[in-house]
Amino acid sequence: MTFRSETSAIPSIVLNDGNVIPQLGFGVFLVPDDEAFPVVTAALEAGYRSIDTAAIYGNEEGTGRAIRESGLPRDEVYVTSKVWNSEQGFDSTLRAFDASMARLGLDYLDLYLVHWPVPAADRYVDTFRALQALKTQGRVRSIGVSNFTAEHLSRVIAETGEIPAVNQIELHPRLAQRELREFHAGHAIATEAWGPLGQGTLLDDRTIASIAAAVDRTPAQVIIRWHLQLGNIVIPKSVTPSRIAENFDVFGFELSRDQMAAINALDTGTRVGDDPNTFSQGLDV
Ligand code: NAD
């Protein structure tokens, strides 16, 4: 297997705990377990060094095997997973973590996230306390949350005394999350963008297409570049090797201030995913 050597081109983000995460990573939502091995292998070959999975994706085994069998040193691949809603609570989160690690076949995680807040269940603070315990034990390097609003973040910070390192949220040009990004910046929480391409829905947008033509790049590359220039951590997903490589080839050009502004103007506050205040799949509330 051959690996591109220019991975040093990937910028890093320093988290509030001092650990460092690659700014561009690879997501594996909706990749079946038996496809995760070739797909994650293709991503590592293309140069990605950060992989984002989750227990609910059902592909931790294939993902972990691709990472282990890549031959890359463990500390050169950044691995994220997430505790699913049905496992929320202190003890159940500890058990869910063990199960994820057994499937991944790894000794530690770089980042473990509370997947959704599920505020009606009121267990996310205890769930985050379990993540704190795992960090203290050295089984996880950094801990964070996903789909949390400023209100959920404030409660976690007030009740645990710890500021999550990362909040992974739906974020793309039609949902730019300006206010939440400002809240994050004020608390040294890193913003990680899921659905960064609007799950594909933004790729035929006319503004994006015209900017892509102007810079001689593809629409996906323009959107990923917009994320990087905003300072987001970004984890696009594709199962197609040519697109996996295309989405990584985003360090050789820059968007101008006017092009950034034109993309910023696409923000209509429109979600492609679920509402963090009400989403409760997997948990009876
Ligand atoms: P995305 O915005 O990355 O879009 C992925 C889709 O865009 C692909 O399935 C493909 O159809 C299309 N695509 C990708 N690259 C392309 C290219 N170069 N040309 C043409 N089409 C292309 O959506 P996503 O997968 O939902 O988000 C990325 C990652 O974020 C996920 O894989 C997952 O790891 C994470 N995620 C997290 C949550 C959460 O609740 N925390 C939710 C959804 C996704």
Side-chain angles (χ1 to χ4, degrees):
M1 203 179 292
T2 51
F3 293 100
R4 285 168 62 142
S5 58
E6 67 266 37
T7 49
S8 56
I10 312 172
S12 300
I13 300 280
V14 182
L15 302 177
N16 63 22
D17 57 13
N19 293 325
V20 170
I21 182 172
Q23 198 183 355
L24 176 62
F26 183 75
V28 294
F29 178 46
L30 296 181
V31 179
D33 200 33
D34 59 348
E35 282 178 41
F37 179 79
V39 164
V40 172
T41 300
L44 295 172
E45 284 180 338
Y48 296 83
R49 290 294 179 270
S50 172
I51 308 294
D52 180 87
T53 185
I56 192 65
Y57 299 170
N59 56 23
E60 289 175 308
E61 286 189 28
T63 297
R65 190 161 73 83
I67 293 165
R68 293 194 317 275
E69 294 185 12
S70 70
L72 290 164
R74 173 67 186 86
D75 63 1
E76 284 184 23
V77 186
Y78 193 97
V79 186
T80 301
S81 193
K82 316 182 190 88
V83 54
W84 183 236
N85 300 344
S86 55
E87 311 303 324
Q88 280 214 21
F90 189 89
D91 292 335
S92 42
T93 294
L94 297 180
R95 284 194 297 272
F97 176 79
D98 284 341
S100 277
M101 297 312 284
R103 287 189 292 266
L104 286 161
L106 301 174
D107 295 336
Y108 70 90
L109 269 188
D110 294 281
L111 179 63
Y112 199 38
L113 304 177
V114 182
H115 204 146
W116 287 87
V118 198
D122 197 16
R123 288 192 213 159
Y124 62 82
V125 174
D126 275 348
T127 305
F128 191 75
R129 286 203 175 97
L131 270 54
Q132 286 183 293
L134 292 166
K135 190 172 107 175
T136 303
Q137 292 165 18
R139 304 194 67 201
V140 174
R141 298 274 152 93
S142 296
I143 57 176
V145 296
S146 179
N147 300 301
F148 276 40
T149 65
E151 189 189 335
H152 308 139
L153 288 166
S154 298
R155 222 186 120 197
V156 165
I157 296 166
E159 295 188 27
T160 71
E162 180 150 355
I163 302 176
V166 169
N167 188 16
Q168 183 184 114
I169 53 174
E170 182 185 339
L171 202 175
H172 44 72
R174 288 198 191 118
L175 184 73
Q177 300 269 23
R178 194 190 189 92
E179 275 183 33
L180 193 47
R181 280 190 287 118
E182 279 170 13
F183 182 92
H184 290 168
H187 292 79
I189 299 168
T191 300
E192 184 167 40
W194 71 251
L197 307 172
Q199 299 187 326
T201 59
L202 272 152
L203 296 171
D204 54 7
D205 178 89
R206 280 163 56 184
T207 301
I208 305 280
S210 77
I211 294 172
V215 296
D216 198 18
R217 293 287 181 152
T218 67
Q221 288 172 324
V222 165
I223 298 171
I224 294 166
R225 190 68 219 172
W226 173 81
H227 283 283
L228 295 174
Q229 290 183 215
L230 277 187
N232 301 335
I233 302 162
V234 57
I235 48 171
K237 169 246 174 179
S238 173
V239 293
T240 311
S242 60
R243 289 175 172 174
I244 291 171
E246 172 189 325
N247 294 350
F248 187 75
D249 184 14
V250 288
F251 301 109
F253 74 109
E254 254 185 63
L255 299 175
S256 68
R257 186 187 291 245
D258 285 352
Q259 288 166 338
M260 288 293 290
I263 301 174
N264 290 339
L266 298 177
D267 187 9
T268 51
T270 313
R271 292 185 184 279
V272 294
D274 292 289
D275 182 341
N277 280 310
T278 54
F279 183 67
S280 63
Q281 189 186 321
L283 198 46
D284 288 333
V285 289

